[in-house]
Amino acid sequence: MDRLDNTVRPYAWGSTTAIPRLLGVEPTGEPQAEMWMGAHPGAPSRTARGPLNEVIDKSPEQELGARTVAKFGPRLPFLLKILAAGAPLSLQVHPDLAQAKEGYEDEERRGIPLDAPHRNYKDANHKPELICALTEFDGLCGFRAPDEAAELLAGLDVDSLKPYVDLLHAHPEDAALREVLTAVLSADPAEMAHTVTEAAAACARLGGAYAPYADLAHHYPGDPGVIAAMLLNYVQLQPGEALFLGAGVPHAYLSGLGVEIMANSDNVLRCGLTPKHVDVPELLRIVRFEAADPGVLRPEASPDGEEVYETPIDEFRLSRYVLPEGTAAHDLTRPTPQILLCTAGSVRVGEHLLAPGQSVFVAADETAEASGAGTLFRAAVVA
């Protein structure tokens, strides 16, 4: 069992206080956006035996187990993070596995460098993800019903938005959503910037349900993603609630602290709220134009006290234990690798006493017991 020393990524949208508060350390004044736990080569966790990716590379079957290696190859198939959004992240979507493989192979054939700003596919993997709120957490997830989006846009009383309102009342619904998103992202930049400025002023004046979009426009003035965001469901998670983001579902995290887990991939197609490259044709090929409830997840408790966030993929399984003082130790031994993360209180795992923000890597079939008084998140593989 390895205590993990994890890297904090200083992305500009990160909160300056949330991760330091969790860790019980003084803020540096700089944004601290994500703390990575895993074997991603960009920022692998460090252990007493070396970087976790190198530890796994030396003995993949011993660390990951034969079942994980047979299913996903000799690598840890998930990345666990603590995410702290102090400002909105980009509006984005992820490809499914077939789309990722096709896109990656196509860009490789065309010789597009991996670090090129217009490159869409950094690898051949999909990137389903789950975010579980540690504080109140605001986000956007999936399309609203077109009639609801039309009502929201119409309430702004901005003349240049009225054609979009009319389109959203058309049928079928998937075609209406596609036409409006295409029109928003393909509009003349100067004209769209003017529209966004008018819409932002109306949002600020109206407040209430419009307040989140006024904030988006404050961070991204003139960005067409502000209008695209109004097509999506606005979600406020309470602590312990979660969202699963599958392939093709447009989403953005706006504010809050959470535990995020994802398949090990860097594939992101952006829809807006960003100065980075937006590939509109490829984006429209990937997005699933389906209006649906965002599907807020609440954990399902098992008899042994494990609370599981059910998702339809095998690269990861996120659960938690809320351990009251004086309870018996929980056996967490599994035939697949896992990372255990304390987010509240004090939890002992084997010889390691974990405070909030501290974590350990447990190899496949390695004995692991948890006790104490606190909250322990468990990230594991479902192989």
Side-chain angles (χ1 to χ4, degrees), residues 144 149 152-153 156 161 199 203 210 213 225-232:
R144 302 173 184 265
L152 194 68
L153 290 176
L156 296 174
L161 290 176
C203 287
Y210 292 97
Y213 309 103
V226 174
I227 305 302
M230 298 183 76
L231 304 177
L232 307 185

Side-chain angles (χ1 to χ4, degrees), residues 88-92 139-145 148-150 152-153 156 161 164 168 177 180-181 184-185 192 196 199 203 209-217 220 223-235 250-254 271-274 283:
L89 283 67
S90 63
L91 190 59
Q92 59 189 255
L140 303 167
C141 178
F143 286 107
R144 302 173 184 265
E148 293 178 12
L152 194 68
L153 290 176
L156 296 174
L161 290 176
Y164 302 148
L168 287 166
L177 291 168
V180 173
L181 186 62
V184 169
L185 297 181
M192 179 51 66
V196 172
C203 287
Y210 292 97
Y213 309 103
D215 185 60
L216 288 179
Y220 300 100
D223 193 304
V226 174
I227 305 302
M230 298 183 76
L231 304 177
L232 307 185
N233 296 296
Y234 173 67
V235 186
H251 62 278
Y253 302 146
L254 305 182
C271 316
L273 307 180
T274 178
L283 172 72

Side-chain angles (χ1 to χ4, degrees), residues 118-137:
H118 62 288
R119 173 113 188 194
N120 293 314
Y121 298 95
K122 310 293 187 184
D123 51 69
N125 200 19
H126 63 164
K127 194 186 178 187
E129 58 191 43
L130 176 81
I131 184 76
C132 178
L134 294 178
T135 64
E136 188 173 276
F137 195 97

Side-chain angles (χ1 to χ4, degrees), residues 18-376:
I19 288 178
R21 188 182 301 120
L22 178 73
L23 299 176
V25 299
E26 286 296 316
T28 64
E30 299 298 317
Q32 298 189 35
E34 296 180 346
M35 185 169 76
W36 288 20
M37 291 157 280
H40 191 291
S45 298
R46 298 169 294 278
T47 77
R49 296 187 287 159
L52 185 58
N53 57 332
E54 294 180 10
V55 170
I56 291 171
D57 287 345
K58 289 175 184 175
S59 305
E61 288 212 358
Q62 180 178 328
E63 302 296 336
L64 304 177
R67 287 159 57 174
T68 299
V69 173
K71 191 164 189 177
F72 300 110
R75 62 187 182 89
L76 186 67
F78 67 78
L79 176 64
L80 184 66
K81 301 178 180 179
I82 292 175
L83 182 147
L89 283 67
S90 63
L91 190 59
Q92 59 189 255
V93 69
H94 306 302
D96 64 26
L97 191 55
Q99 291 165 338
K101 288 179 178 178
E102 179 185 350
Y104 178 77
E105 290 169 1
D106 174 64
E107 291 186 329
E108 286 289 281
R109 278 194 304 269
R110 290 190 283 142
I112 301 175
L114 275 176
D115 59 355
H118 62 288
R119 173 113 188 194
N120 293 314
Y121 298 95
K122 310 293 187 184
D123 51 69
N125 200 19
H126 63 164
K127 194 186 178 187
E129 58 191 43
L130 176 81
I131 184 76
C132 178
L134 294 178
T135 64
E136 188 173 276
F137 195 97
D138 294 1
L140 303 167
C141 178
F143 286 107
R144 302 173 184 265
D147 284 349
E148 293 178 12
E151 182 179 356
L152 194 68
L153 290 176
L156 296 174
D157 195 27
V158 173
D159 286 344
S160 53
L161 290 176
K162 290 177 181 177
Y164 302 148
V165 173
D166 293 339
L167 282 172
L168 287 166
H169 286 306
H171 292 281
E173 290 189 347
D174 58 343
L177 291 168
R178 177 182 289 275
E179 284 193 43
V180 173
L181 186 62
T182 302
V184 169
L185 297 181
S186 304
D188 177 81
E191 292 179 5
M192 179 51 66
H194 181 71
T195 295
V196 172
T197 299
E198 282 194 78
C203 287
R205 183 178 68 255
L206 293 167
Y210 292 97
Y213 309 103
D215 185 60
L216 288 179
H218 169 74
H219 287 285
Y220 300 100
D223 193 304
V226 174
I227 305 302
M230 298 183 76
L231 304 177
L232 307 185
N233 296 296
Y234 173 67
V235 186
Q236 275 194 317
L237 299 178
Q238 297 305 310
E241 295 181 334
L243 285 175
F244 175 71
L245 293 313
V249 177
H251 62 278
Y253 302 146
L254 305 182
S255 65
L257 181 70
V259 174
E260 185 184 35
I261 188 168
M262 62 187 61
N264 229 341
S265 172
D266 293 319
N267 287 326
V268 175
L269 287 105
R270 294 174 178 83
C271 316
L273 307 180
T274 178
K276 295 181 179 180
H277 176 64
V278 176
D279 184 337
V280 175
E282 185 64 10
L283 172 72
L284 296 173
R285 190 177 77 87
I286 298 302
V287 171
R288 295 183 180 177
F289 291 93
E290 301 170 356
D293 184 276
V296 174
L297 295 176
R298 295 170 182 85
E300 298 182 14
S302 61
D304 71 346
E306 184 179 23
E307 300 177 341
V308 180
Y309 294 90
E310 296 289 353
T311 58
I313 49 97
D314 293 339
E315 282 88 345
F316 61 77
R317 173 184 185 270
L318 187 71
S319 61
R320 70 174 185 176
Y321 289 85
V322 180
L323 303 172
E325 186 73 56
T327 55
H330 292 264
D331 182 6
L332 273 58
T333 308
R334 282 183 64 90
T336 61
Q338 52 188 322
I339 292 176
L340 306 175
L341 165 68
C342 176
T343 59
S346 178
V347 180
R348 179 169 294 280
V349 181
E351 63 185 25
H352 301 287
L353 185 63
L354 303 182
Q358 296 181 337
S359 56
V360 293
F361 171 77
V362 184
D365 293 314
E366 185 176 4
T367 300
E369 289 189 339
S371 60
T375 300
L376 186 73

